[in-house]
Amino acid sequence: MNRVIVLYVALSFVPLGAAAQIQDARIPRLAQDGEGTQLLVDGSPFIILGAQSENTSASNLEDVEVVYRDLDAVHANSATIPISWSLLEPEPGKFDFHLVDGIIEGARRHHLKLILLWFGTSKNGLMGFTPDWIKTDRTTYFRVHDARGDEQYAISPLSTAALKADQRAFSALMSHIREFDQRDHTVIMMQIENEDCLYPEDRDYSAAANRTFAGQPPSELMSYLVKHREGLTPALQSAWKLTGYRTTGNWTDIFGDMAPEVFSAWTISSYIDGVAEAGKAQYAIPYYINVPLINTGQVRAGDWPSGTANSQVFDIWKATAKHIDIIAPDIYRIDFPEQAAFYNRPDNVLFVAEVGIAPYYAPYVFTTLAGMNGIGYTPFGIDHGYEYDSVLNAGQTALEENFRVLRPLLPIIARNRYRGTLFPIVLDMYRHESLAIPLGDSLTAVVHFDEKFVADTEAHRGGGIIIKLAADRFIIAGEGFHVNFAELKGLPRDAECLSVEEGTFDGENWITKRVITGDRGNVSLRLHQPSILQVHLDRTLN
Ligand code: DGJ
């Protein structure tokens, strides 16, 4: 029965994106199922529960093994690992794939899927991961200049020679992965560069950039903006409005004070799209970029990372980066739900590419997967080490507890995405001890937390998920709260429980571990003991 459902779902998806390759249906890809976007791996919906290594953990395979062990310890199903251009192509045209192969083989031994990060031309706007032959040839691979004319430690996005070199390296990488991984599909997504942006400049002031900035923006960009004018993000919308929505003239004529940032977004997204296009021609699995967000207290582009796909210039990226499938936020802000919500759009499925490892952030995995139909959640720095930082230590523990209950639920969550049947539970700093969650069918879950929110980075924070299987059947998973099911029709009352079982899933099959006889309508999930409950309610009075 389940096999039939999976087959039907797989066949009803239509591939997304411009890649014109004829693909094996098992190759990882994003697909539209009518209601939303699914990540398909081997033809079936896949949800990423993972974490990212430190930036330089993949310079030898022993360190990668530590990352994999740490991931196993938190019940992750995926690993996020950087590939450094300088280690891949130490001499022009001479590629060394031994680390790539070892990373993939290691992931297979640990039954992990892989998301590889292409640390090429730009890592956080800097050129640290480029090969020495790029770094030392400042003429061919010219640098970003600041407004005073000083060279920066960053390759100019206007350097066509750098773009060609990056394209050649990334094509070689993707061609190699296609060959090496064609049977297993261990590698499921690629990140192009890392948090590509400019700072502290608002734009590149190299001679080539100045010349381009003095000219007209490309007509394709302007046509896109005209076509999508009503739906543009507020920052771009209001800057453009001030110039009377001009479509001709130079960048400043059209975008006014925001011109340097819009220009940066266009130059960087064009560069990244060029790299992505070259890779897709070899192996068209999903590609994404990760975005450093604007922090409070940052007041202008360059102060915040300029030109990245943030809330200022997201639309410029949508117009330009046609070979990028997902724009993914890196969220290190306490207003996680608001920041994540910006990237959860009909034209962009939510993937949390980075988030801090701290108990504060841990329950936002439920917000991501249940509240926003996200396809994955991968906190940064799993191999920081448990020993030396108590916040990270507490964060790993919280991650482990949440992933422990989520991992067996992933097939059910994947099946319930976009149906309004997934409900996150997070002890919120604003809502304090309780939550009311409308479940439909005249029923509301009233959630009471066992602890109050404590504004302390090490403090445990309760969280979980409710999955509605039917009007009278629910999965509740997590820890540190209890739930009443309030009937909304008839006399005020709670629905009574017919049964509460603690257990787990093997695929789609429920396995009962314990039968819990509790109070009539009250379901408790114990503190610091993550569990999965299946609740059958008596709705006969309804
Ligand atoms: C964001 C970057 O994308 C990561 O590679 C890493 O440097 C973290 N910041 C460190 O917090």
Side-chain angles (χ1 to χ4, degrees):
M1 171 67 182
N2 295 338
R3 288 242 302 276
V4 174
I5 291 171
V6 169
L7 183 64
Y8 165 75
V9 170
L11 291 176
S12 66
F13 289 123
V14 180
L16 286 180
Q21 291 178 64
I22 299 179
Q23 289 193 342
D24 171 350
R26 293 165 57 245
I27 289 174
R29 68 190 200 279
L30 291 184
Q32 200 71 33
D33 71 352
E35 293 159 280
T37 304
Q38 298 278 6
L39 168 61
L40 298 184
V41 176
D42 290 325
S44 300
F46 187 83
I47 291 176
I48 298 163
L49 273 191
Q52 189 174 144
S53 72
E54 289 272 24
N55 289 160
T56 51
S57 307
S59 72
N60 72 62
L61 295 174
E62 290 74 36
D63 291 351
V64 174
E65 184 59 25
V66 173
V67 174
Y68 290 154
R69 282 196 210 126
D70 287 344
L71 286 163
D72 289 343
V74 298
H75 319 284
N77 65 7
S78 307
T80 305
I81 310 270
I83 302 294
S84 155
W85 185 4
S86 65
L87 299 178
L88 186 81
E89 193 184 3
E91 287 176 51
K94 291 204 172 141
F95 293 97
D96 176 353
F97 292 110
H98 91 276
L99 284 173
V100 177
D101 297 352
I103 289 166
I104 296 175
E105 282 165 344
R108 287 180 190 154
R109 277 197 305 278
H110 286 263
H111 306 288
L112 292 163
K113 292 293 181 188
L114 266 178
I115 296 147
L116 295 178
L117 315 179
W118 171 236
F119 281 14
T121 303
S122 171
K123 160 73 175 66
N124 295 70
L126 303 174
M127 55 187 291
F129 287 82
T130 57
D132 291 357
W133 51 270
I134 295 268
K135 290 195 182 95
T136 51
D137 186 351
R138 294 173 143 82
T139 312
T140 312
Y141 310 110
F142 65 87
R143 308 265 179 108
V144 168
H145 286 61
D146 69 12
R148 288 172 200 82
D150 291 336
E151 259 185 13
Q152 303 297 301
Y153 187 62
I155 298 286
S156 167
L158 275 296
S159 168
T160 43
L163 174 58
K164 275 195 188 133
D166 193 322
Q167 285 175 321
R168 183 182 63 181
F170 188 60
S171 297
L173 174 64
M174 294 317 296
S175 156
H176 181 80
I177 293 173
R178 187 195 61 222
E179 292 294 314
F180 193 81
D181 199 32
Q182 58 187 323
R183 197 199 53 198
D184 296 81
H185 305 131
T186 301
V187 180
I188 58 170
M189 291 216 295
M190 297 298 299
Q191 179 186 292
I192 313 298
E193 316 291 343
N194 188 83
E195 291 195 350
D196 202 356
C197 63
L198 288 170
Y199 69 92
E201 304 77 35
D202 53 3
R203 71 170 173 89
D204 178 10
Y205 290 84
S206 63
N210 287 343
R211 271 195 308 278
T212 313
F213 187 68
Q216 286 240 137
S219 56
E220 310 84 68
L221 175 64
M222 293 318 301
S223 313
Y224 179 96
L225 295 180
V226 168
K227 189 165 163 209
H228 295 85
R229 195 169 100 174
E230 299 314 317
L232 298 178
T233 60
L236 185 61
Q237 168 79 252
S238 47
W240 194 21
K241 189 175 177 190
L242 283 177
T243 71
Y245 297 112
R246 275 186 71 158
T247 55
T248 55
N250 64 30
W251 290 82
T252 308
D253 295 333
I254 296 173
F255 298 109
D257 289 348
M258 213 176 147
E261 188 175 14
V262 175
F263 179 72
S264 293
W266 174 70
T267 53
I268 295 172
S269 60
S270 302
Y271 191 102
I272 289 228
D273 196 54
V275 175
E277 183 174 14
K280 285 248 164 152
Q282 299 301 329
Y283 193 32
I285 59 177
Y287 291 3
Y288 72 94
I289 59 144
N290 61 328
V291 179
L293 303 180
I294 299 173
N295 282 323
T296 49
Q298 295 178 324
V299 294
R300 52 174 291 174
D303 192 5
W304 64 67
S306 183
T308 187
N310 59 21
S311 55
Q312 297 279 112
V313 287
F314 184 90
D315 299 295
I316 307 298
W317 279 81
K318 274 283 156 197
T320 312
K322 298 293 183 202
H323 299 88
I324 294 297
D325 302 292
I326 305 173
I327 296 179
D330 291 351
I331 310 182
Y332 295 89
R333 289 184 49 139
I334 63 164
D335 55 346
F336 181 103
E338 290 78 6
Q339 298 300 325
F342 178 82
Y343 292 90
N344 172 27
R345 307 162 36 122
D347 60 356
N348 192 66
V349 70
L350 178 64
F351 170 55
V352 178
E354 288 182 36
V355 54
I357 295 190
Y360 176 80
Y361 294 112
Y364 287 132
V365 65
F366 300 112
T367 309
T368 302
L369 302 187
M372 300 190 191
N373 296 305
I375 57 158
Y377 182 91
T378 53
F380 177 80
I382 190 73
D383 52 337
H384 276 300
Y386 289 72
E387 301 85 19
Y388 66 88
D389 187 320
S390 56
V391 175
L392 288 170
N393 196 347
Q396 303 274 48
T397 303
L399 196 67
E400 185 277 321
E401 290 179 356
N402 292 339
F403 280 17
R404 197 190 319 167
V405 292
L406 278 169
R407 183 80 191 264
L409 295 177
L410 292 181
I412 318 275
I413 292 175
R415 188 160 50 75
N416 278 278
R417 295 177 71 234
Y418 300 107
R419 290 190 182 170
T421 46
L422 299 173
F423 306 92
I425 295 172
V426 178
L427 173 55
D428 194 282
M429 63 196 286
Y430 306 112
R431 291 185 211 120
H432 303 292
E433 297 119 67
S434 49
L435 288 176
I437 303 175
L439 299 171
D441 297 309
S442 307
L443 201 66
T444 285
V446 184
V447 178
H448 298 283
F449 291 96
D450 298 340
E451 293 176 316
K452 291 191 174 153
F453 181 86
V454 184
D456 172 347
T457 46
E458 292 184 44
H460 179 265
R461 211 170 154 208
I465 182 173
I466 298 179
I467 306 174
K468 180 177 176 180
L469 301 178
D472 60 352
R473 264 187 203 275
F474 297 86
I475 299 295
I476 311 178
E479 59 181 331
F481 58 87
H482 53 275
V483 184
N484 289 20
F485 291 89
E487 292 281 8
L488 300 182
K489 276 207 250 165
L491 292 175
R493 65 187 193 284
D494 285 341
E496 292 173 10
C497 293
L498 288 174
S499 68
V500 179
E501 293 179 356
E502 184 181 335
T504 190
F505 280 93
D506 177 15
E508 300 254 353
N509 297 321
W510 173 252
I511 298 166
T512 305
K513 282 190 195 158
R514 238 168 241 123
V515 175
I516 301 168
T517 308
D519 296 337
R520 355 185 323 170
N522 184 318
V523 180
S524 292
L525 288 96
R526 287 169 293 169
L527 198 59
H528 303 303
Q529 295 192 42
S531 52
I532 304 175
L533 305 181
Q534 176 151 199
V535 181
H536 187 187
L537 299 178
D538 178 4
R539 307 285 319 273
T540 49
L541 281 175
N542 198 35

